[in-house]
Amino acid sequence: SAVISQKPSRDICQRGTSLTIQCQVDSQVTMMFWYRQQPGQSLTLIATANQGSEATYESGFVIDKFPISRPNLTFSTLTVSNMSPEDSSIYLCSVLAISGANVLTFGAGSRLTVL
Amino acid sequence: QKEVEQNSGPLSVPEGAIASLNCTYSDRVSQSFFWYRQYSGKSPELIMSIYSNGDKEDGRFTAQLNKASQYVSLLIRDSQPSDSATYLCAVDNAGNMLTFGGGTRLMVKP
């Protein structure tokens, strides 16, 4: 299955600032997904990053807060804008595994702490 | 709203016992079901997938699916301390979208 590299792995940010998370895949993939996992919670899908078109956001998530780029089939970025302590979470990039339909492979995640 | 429900636990079992993890889902049209394991501080990793009613076995793991009752379970035989983790149930609701349950924390005591 695909190997996903995410960075930063963790960061401590100040309230009101923005941070961009990068996700690099070792093979071309059609769809890339960004999930959020708040402390002690399960995974919530933020958006699907599509190459060549705007990202598709899930209910409760908006482009102004979480702008996403997808310049090619191996790379995507998620920006968390104007951060507040409520944005402290692990952000995970994922792709569909090559071996089977609807099977997700996850990156190691980016743990953000907002002070 | 499509939901996936799990008992948050912790579920505590002694080493060598069978751990039984359960998950219910609300969307009757769901076709694909997955169990992910997540160690503390790590990302989820797929351990089982199941698409048809019945049992599917893979080593010490058995996934069970009952679409009529809308539940899926995971049995771990001969539980080991290394199985201690949070187990996430995920359901494919529409195309490639997965909805995750809240996870069950499993603790296997030596």
PDB file of all heavy atoms in Angstrom, chain A residues 24-48:
ATOM      1  N   GLN A  24       2.670  13.959   1.636  1.00  0.00           N
ATOM      2  CA  GLN A  24       3.326  13.468   0.427  1.00  0.00           C
ATOM      3  C   GLN A  24       3.114  11.963   0.334  1.00  0.00           C
ATOM      4  O   GLN A  24       3.376  11.244   1.291  1.00  0.00           O
ATOM      5  CB  GLN A  24       4.825  13.776   0.469  1.00  0.00           C
ATOM      6  CG  GLN A  24       5.605  13.268  -0.726  1.00  0.00           C
ATOM      7  CD  GLN A  24       5.371  14.110  -1.959  1.00  0.00           C
ATOM      8  OE1 GLN A  24       5.512  15.329  -1.943  1.00  0.00           O
ATOM      9  NE2 GLN A  24       4.992  13.462  -3.060  1.00  0.00           N
ATOM     10  N   VAL A  25       2.660  11.498  -0.814  1.00  0.00           N
ATOM     11  CA  VAL A  25       2.419  10.066  -1.031  1.00  0.00           C
ATOM     12  C   VAL A  25       3.438   9.546  -2.034  1.00  0.00           C
ATOM     13  O   VAL A  25       3.810  10.271  -2.970  1.00  0.00           O
ATOM     14  CB  VAL A  25       0.991   9.829  -1.548  1.00  0.00           C
ATOM     15  CG1 VAL A  25       0.672   8.338  -1.583  1.00  0.00           C
ATOM     16  CG2 VAL A  25      -0.024  10.553  -0.671  1.00  0.00           C
ATOM     17  N   ASP A  26       3.848   8.303  -1.863  1.00  0.00           N
ATOM     18  CA  ASP A  26       4.912   7.772  -2.722  1.00  0.00           C
ATOM     19  C   ASP A  26       4.375   7.228  -4.048  1.00  0.00           C
ATOM     20  O   ASP A  26       5.134   6.696  -4.847  1.00  0.00           O
ATOM     21  CB  ASP A  26       5.692   6.682  -1.991  1.00  0.00           C
ATOM     22  CG  ASP A  26       4.870   5.423  -1.750  1.00  0.00           C
ATOM     23  OD1 ASP A  26       3.628   5.480  -1.851  1.00  0.00           O
ATOM     24  OD2 ASP A  26       5.480   4.381  -1.446  1.00  0.00           O
ATOM     25  N   SER A  27       3.086   7.382  -4.286  1.00  0.00           N
ATOM     26  CA  SER A  27       2.507   6.965  -5.553  1.00  0.00           C
ATOM     27  C   SER A  27       1.338   7.882  -5.896  1.00  0.00           C
ATOM     28  O   SER A  27       0.823   8.593  -5.025  1.00  0.00           O
ATOM     29  CB  SER A  27       2.030   5.507  -5.473  1.00  0.00           C
ATOM     30  OG  SER A  27       1.092   5.362  -4.438  1.00  0.00           O
ATOM     31  N   GLN A  28       0.944   7.869  -7.144  1.00  0.00           N
ATOM     32  CA  GLN A  28      -0.158   8.735  -7.552  1.00  0.00           C
ATOM     33  C   GLN A  28      -1.487   8.178  -7.052  1.00  0.00           C
ATOM     34  O   GLN A  28      -1.764   6.993  -7.218  1.00  0.00           O
ATOM     35  CB  GLN A  28      -0.175   8.867  -9.075  1.00  0.00           C
ATOM     36  CG  GLN A  28       1.030   9.614  -9.626  1.00  0.00           C
ATOM     37  CD  GLN A  28       0.935   9.844 -11.128  1.00  0.00           C
ATOM     38  OE1 GLN A  28       0.187   9.165 -11.816  1.00  0.00           O
ATOM     39  NE2 GLN A  28       1.691  10.801 -11.633  1.00  0.00           N
ATOM     40  N   VAL A  29      -2.273   9.025  -6.458  1.00  0.00           N
ATOM     41  CA  VAL A  29      -3.573   8.633  -5.931  1.00  0.00           C
ATOM     42  C   VAL A  29      -4.604   9.645  -6.375  1.00  0.00           C
ATOM     43  O   VAL A  29      -4.337  10.842  -6.451  1.00  0.00           O
ATOM     44  CB  VAL A  29      -3.576   8.510  -4.396  1.00  0.00           C
ATOM     45  CG1 VAL A  29      -2.699   7.363  -3.948  1.00  0.00           C
ATOM     46  CG2 VAL A  29      -3.128   9.806  -3.740  1.00  0.00           C
ATOM     47  N   THR A  30      -5.798   9.162  -6.641  1.00  0.00           N
ATOM     48  CA  THR A  30      -6.855  10.058  -7.115  1.00  0.00           C
ATOM     49  C   THR A  30      -7.396  10.902  -5.974  1.00  0.00           C
ATOM     50  O   THR A  30      -7.554  12.119  -6.107  1.00  0.00           O
ATOM     51  CB  THR A  30      -7.993   9.238  -7.738  1.00  0.00           C
ATOM     52  OG1 THR A  30      -7.462   8.416  -8.765  1.00  0.00           O
ATOM     53  CG2 THR A  30      -9.069  10.155  -8.296  1.00  0.00           C
ATOM     54  N   MET A  31      -7.691  10.268  -4.861  1.00  0.00           N
ATOM     55  CA  MET A  31      -8.337  10.973  -3.763  1.00  0.00           C
ATOM     56  C   MET A  31      -7.438  10.948  -2.521  1.00  0.00           C
ATOM     57  O   MET A  31      -6.868   9.923  -2.175  1.00  0.00           O
ATOM     58  CB  MET A  31      -9.688  10.336  -3.439  1.00  0.00           C
ATOM     59  CG  MET A  31     -10.653  10.338  -4.620  1.00  0.00           C
ATOM     60  SD  MET A  31     -12.126   9.365  -4.320  1.00  0.00           S
ATOM     61  CE  MET A  31     -13.013  10.464  -3.207  1.00  0.00           C
ATOM     62  N   MET A  32      -7.368  12.099  -1.883  1.00  0.00           N
ATOM     63  CA  MET A  32      -6.681  12.206  -0.608  1.00  0.00           C
ATOM     64  C   MET A  32      -7.673  12.801   0.383  1.00  0.00           C
ATOM     65  O   MET A  32      -8.491  13.655   0.031  1.00  0.00           O
ATOM     66  CB  MET A  32      -5.432  13.087  -0.724  1.00  0.00           C
ATOM     67  CG  MET A  32      -4.378  12.510  -1.662  1.00  0.00           C
ATOM     68  SD  MET A  32      -2.942  13.580  -1.887  1.00  0.00           S
ATOM     69  CE  MET A  32      -2.138  13.399  -0.303  1.00  0.00           C
ATOM     70  N   PHE A  33      -7.593  12.334   1.602  1.00  0.00           N
ATOM     71  CA  PHE A  33      -8.555  12.736   2.624  1.00  0.00           C
ATOM     72  C   PHE A  33      -7.815  13.347   3.815  1.00  0.00           C
ATOM     73  O   PHE A  33      -6.733  12.902   4.192  1.00  0.00           O
ATOM     74  CB  PHE A  33      -9.353  11.522   3.112  1.00  0.00           C
ATOM     75  CG  PHE A  33     -10.019  10.741   2.017  1.00  0.00           C
ATOM     76  CD1 PHE A  33      -9.370   9.664   1.425  1.00  0.00           C
ATOM     77  CD2 PHE A  33     -11.282  11.075   1.576  1.00  0.00           C
ATOM     78  CE1 PHE A  33      -9.979   8.940   0.415  1.00  0.00           C
ATOM     79  CE2 PHE A  33     -11.906  10.354   0.575  1.00  0.00           C
ATOM     80  CZ  PHE A  33     -11.255   9.286  -0.015  1.00  0.00           C
ATOM     81  N   TRP A  34      -8.456  14.336   4.395  1.00  0.00           N
ATOM     82  CA  TRP A  34      -7.932  14.941   5.621  1.00  0.00           C
ATOM     83  C   TRP A  34      -8.919  14.696   6.755  1.00  0.00           C
ATOM     84  O   TRP A  34     -10.101  15.025   6.651  1.00  0.00           O
ATOM     85  CB  TRP A  34      -7.730  16.441   5.431  1.00  0.00           C
ATOM     86  CG  TRP A  34      -6.541  16.768   4.579  1.00  0.00           C
ATOM     87  CD1 TRP A  34      -6.547  17.087   3.250  1.00  0.00           C
ATOM     88  CD2 TRP A  34      -5.173  16.794   4.994  1.00  0.00           C
ATOM     89  NE1 TRP A  34      -5.259  17.301   2.810  1.00  0.00           N
ATOM     90  CE2 TRP A  34      -4.401  17.145   3.856  1.00  0.00           C
ATOM     91  CE3 TRP A  34      -4.514  16.566   6.207  1.00  0.00           C
ATOM     92  CZ2 TRP A  34      -3.006  17.268   3.908  1.00  0.00           C
ATOM     93  CZ3 TRP A  34      -3.143  16.690   6.250  1.00  0.00           C
ATOM     94  CH2 TRP A  34      -2.401  17.035   5.113  1.00  0.00           C
ATOM     95  N   TYR A  35      -8.393  14.093   7.834  1.00  0.00           N
ATOM     96  CA  TYR A  35      -9.196  13.799   9.009  1.00  0.00           C
ATOM     97  C   TYR A  35      -8.668  14.598  10.198  1.00  0.00           C
ATOM     98  O   TYR A  35      -7.484  14.942  10.274  1.00  0.00           O
ATOM     99  CB  TYR A  35      -9.125  12.304   9.366  1.00  0.00           C
ATOM    100  CG  TYR A  35      -9.995  11.415   8.519  1.00  0.00           C
ATOM    101  CD1 TYR A  35      -9.545  10.926   7.291  1.00  0.00           C
ATOM    102  CD2 TYR A  35     -11.256  11.026   8.957  1.00  0.00           C
ATOM    103  CE1 TYR A  35     -10.332  10.093   6.521  1.00  0.00           C
ATOM    104  CE2 TYR A  35     -12.056  10.188   8.194  1.00  0.00           C
ATOM    105  CZ  TYR A  35     -11.584   9.732   6.978  1.00  0.00           C
ATOM    106  OH  TYR A  35     -12.378   8.904   6.228  1.00  0.00           O
ATOM    107  N   ARG A  36      -9.546  14.810  11.158  1.00  0.00           N
ATOM    108  CA  ARG A  36      -9.160  15.414  12.412  1.00  0.00           C
ATOM    109  C   ARG A  36      -9.508  14.442  13.529  1.00  0.00           C
ATOM    110  O   ARG A  36     -10.573  13.819  13.516  1.00  0.00           O
ATOM    111  CB  ARG A  36      -9.903  16.733  12.631  1.00  0.00           C
ATOM    112  CG  ARG A  36      -9.550  17.439  13.934  1.00  0.00           C
ATOM    113  CD  ARG A  36     -10.239  18.779  14.033  1.00  0.00           C
ATOM    114  NE  ARG A  36     -11.659  18.660  14.283  1.00  0.00           N
ATOM    115  CZ  ARG A  36     -12.482  19.706  14.394  1.00  0.00           C
ATOM    116  NH1 ARG A  36     -12.008  20.933  14.250  1.00  0.00           N
ATOM    117  NH2 ARG A  36     -13.749  19.519  14.639  1.00  0.00           N
ATOM    118  N   GLN A  37      -8.632  14.339  14.499  1.00  0.00           N
ATOM    119  CA  GLN A  37      -8.895  13.522  15.671  1.00  0.00           C
ATOM    120  C   GLN A  37      -8.611  14.369  16.903  1.00  0.00           C
ATOM    121  O   GLN A  37      -7.460  14.595  17.274  1.00  0.00           O
ATOM    122  CB  GLN A  37      -8.037  12.252  15.685  1.00  0.00           C
ATOM    123  CG  GLN A  37      -8.435  11.290  16.784  1.00  0.00           C
ATOM    124  CD  GLN A  37      -7.729   9.948  16.682  1.00  0.00           C
ATOM    125  OE1 GLN A  37      -6.619   9.864  16.192  1.00  0.00           O
ATOM    126  NE2 GLN A  37      -8.396   8.889  17.139  1.00  0.00           N
ATOM    127  N   GLN A  38      -9.673  14.838  17.505  1.00  0.00           N
ATOM    128  CA  GLN A  38      -9.533  15.645  18.704  1.00  0.00           C
ATOM    129  C   GLN A  38      -9.200  14.744  19.892  1.00  0.00           C
ATOM    130  O   GLN A  38      -9.461  13.537  19.849  1.00  0.00           O
ATOM    131  CB  GLN A  38     -10.805  16.455  18.938  1.00  0.00           C
ATOM    132  CG  GLN A  38     -11.018  17.500  17.836  1.00  0.00           C
ATOM    133  CD  GLN A  38     -12.289  18.289  17.994  1.00  0.00           C
ATOM    134  OE1 GLN A  38     -13.370  17.731  18.029  1.00  0.00           O
ATOM    135  NE2 GLN A  38     -12.163  19.618  18.062  1.00  0.00           N
ATOM    136  N   PRO A  39      -8.624  15.302  20.943  1.00  0.00           N
ATOM    137  CA  PRO A  39      -8.167  14.484  22.074  1.00  0.00           C
ATOM    138  C   PRO A  39      -9.252  13.547  22.585  1.00  0.00           C
ATOM    139  O   PRO A  39     -10.364  13.978  22.908  1.00  0.00           O
ATOM    140  CB  PRO A  39      -7.789  15.543  23.115  1.00  0.00           C
ATOM    141  CG  PRO A  39      -7.415  16.744  22.318  1.00  0.00           C
ATOM    142  CD  PRO A  39      -8.336  16.740  21.129  1.00  0.00           C
ATOM    143  N   GLY A  40      -8.925  12.265  22.630  1.00  0.00           N
ATOM    144  CA  GLY A  40      -9.855  11.274  23.150  1.00  0.00           C
ATOM    145  C   GLY A  40     -11.028  10.975  22.251  1.00  0.00           C
ATOM    146  O   GLY A  40     -11.940  10.247  22.654  1.00  0.00           O
ATOM    147  N   GLN A  41     -11.007  11.484  21.057  1.00  0.00           N
ATOM    148  CA  GLN A  41     -12.138  11.299  20.136  1.00  0.00           C
ATOM    149  C   GLN A  41     -11.759  10.432  18.949  1.00  0.00           C
ATOM    150  O   GLN A  41     -10.594  10.085  18.764  1.00  0.00           O
ATOM    151  CB  GLN A  41     -12.633  12.666  19.630  1.00  0.00           C
ATOM    152  CG  GLN A  41     -13.023  13.636  20.721  1.00  0.00           C
ATOM    153  CD  GLN A  41     -14.203  13.154  21.525  1.00  0.00           C
ATOM    154  OE1 GLN A  41     -15.210  12.682  20.968  1.00  0.00           O
ATOM    155  NE2 GLN A  41     -14.109  13.256  22.844  1.00  0.00           N
ATOM    156  N   SER A  42     -12.764  10.116  18.153  1.00  0.00           N
ATOM    157  CA  SER A  42     -12.507   9.346  16.947  1.00  0.00           C
ATOM    158  C   SER A  42     -12.169  10.281  15.787  1.00  0.00           C
ATOM    159  O   SER A  42     -11.975  11.481  15.978  1.00  0.00           O
ATOM    160  CB  SER A  42     -13.721   8.489  16.620  1.00  0.00           C
ATOM    161  OG  SER A  42     -13.421   7.603  15.566  1.00  0.00           O
ATOM    162  N   LEU A  43     -12.106   9.721  14.612  1.00  0.00           N
ATOM    163  CA  LEU A  43     -11.711  10.492  13.442  1.00  0.00           C
ATOM    164  C   LEU A  43     -12.925  11.130  12.786  1.00  0.00           C
ATOM    165  O   LEU A  43     -13.958  10.484  12.604  1.00  0.00           O
ATOM    166  CB  LEU A  43     -11.028   9.580  12.423  1.00  0.00           C
ATOM    167  CG  LEU A  43      -9.611   9.143  12.724  1.00  0.00           C
ATOM    168  CD1 LEU A  43      -9.584   8.043  13.767  1.00  0.00           C
ATOM    169  CD2 LEU A  43      -8.910   8.686  11.471  1.00  0.00           C
ATOM    170  N   THR A  44     -12.759  12.370  12.398  1.00  0.00           N
ATOM    171  CA  THR A  44     -13.804  13.091  11.683  1.00  0.00           C
ATOM    172  C   THR A  44     -13.231  13.578  10.364  1.00  0.00           C
ATOM    173  O   THR A  44     -12.177  14.224  10.331  1.00  0.00           O
ATOM    174  CB  THR A  44     -14.295  14.299  12.496  1.00  0.00           C
ATOM    175  OG1 THR A  44     -14.813  13.850  13.749  1.00  0.00           O
ATOM    176  CG2 THR A  44     -15.400  15.034  11.740  1.00  0.00           C
ATOM    177  N   LEU A  45     -13.924  13.280   9.285  1.00  0.00           N
ATOM    178  CA  LEU A  45     -13.465  13.694   7.961  1.00  0.00           C
ATOM    179  C   LEU A  45     -13.658  15.194   7.791  1.00  0.00           C
ATOM    180  O   LEU A  45     -14.772  15.703   7.984  1.00  0.00           O
ATOM    181  CB  LEU A  45     -14.221  12.938   6.877  1.00  0.00           C
ATOM    182  CG  LEU A  45     -13.851  13.253   5.431  1.00  0.00           C
ATOM    183  CD1 LEU A  45     -12.402  12.868   5.148  1.00  0.00           C
ATOM    184  CD2 LEU A  45     -14.794  12.537   4.463  1.00  0.00           C
ATOM    185  N   ILE A  46     -12.573  15.880   7.454  1.00  0.00           N
ATOM    186  CA  ILE A  46     -12.652  17.314   7.194  1.00  0.00           C
ATOM    187  C   ILE A  46     -13.053  17.551   5.734  1.00  0.00           C
ATOM    188  O   ILE A  46     -13.997  18.284   5.446  1.00  0.00           O
ATOM    189  CB  ILE A  46     -11.305  18.002   7.469  1.00  0.00           C
ATOM    190  CG1 ILE A  46     -10.914  17.870   8.937  1.00  0.00           C
ATOM    191  CG2 ILE A  46     -11.354  19.475   7.043  1.00  0.00           C
ATOM    192  CD1 ILE A  46      -9.509  18.349   9.249  1.00  0.00           C
ATOM    193  N   ALA A  47     -12.292  16.940   4.835  1.00  0.00           N
ATOM    194  CA  ALA A  47     -12.532  17.189   3.415  1.00  0.00           C
ATOM    195  C   ALA A  47     -11.806  16.152   2.578  1.00  0.00           C
ATOM    196  O   ALA A  47     -10.897  15.467   3.050  1.00  0.00           O
ATOM    197  CB  ALA A  47     -12.057  18.582   3.027  1.00  0.00           C
ATOM    198  N   THR A  48     -12.236  16.063   1.349  1.00  0.00           N
ATOM    199  CA  THR A  48     -11.586  15.242   0.335  1.00  0.00           C
ATOM    200  C   THR A  48     -10.861  16.170  -0.624  1.00  0.00           C
ATOM    201  O   THR A  48     -11.469  17.111  -1.170  1.00  0.00           O
ATOM    202  CB  THR A  48     -12.621  14.411  -0.438  1.00  0.00           C
ATOM    203  OG1 THR A  48     -13.337  13.601   0.494  1.00  0.00           O
ATOM    204  CG2 THR A  48     -11.936  13.522  -1.458  1.00  0.00           C
TER     205      THR A  48
END
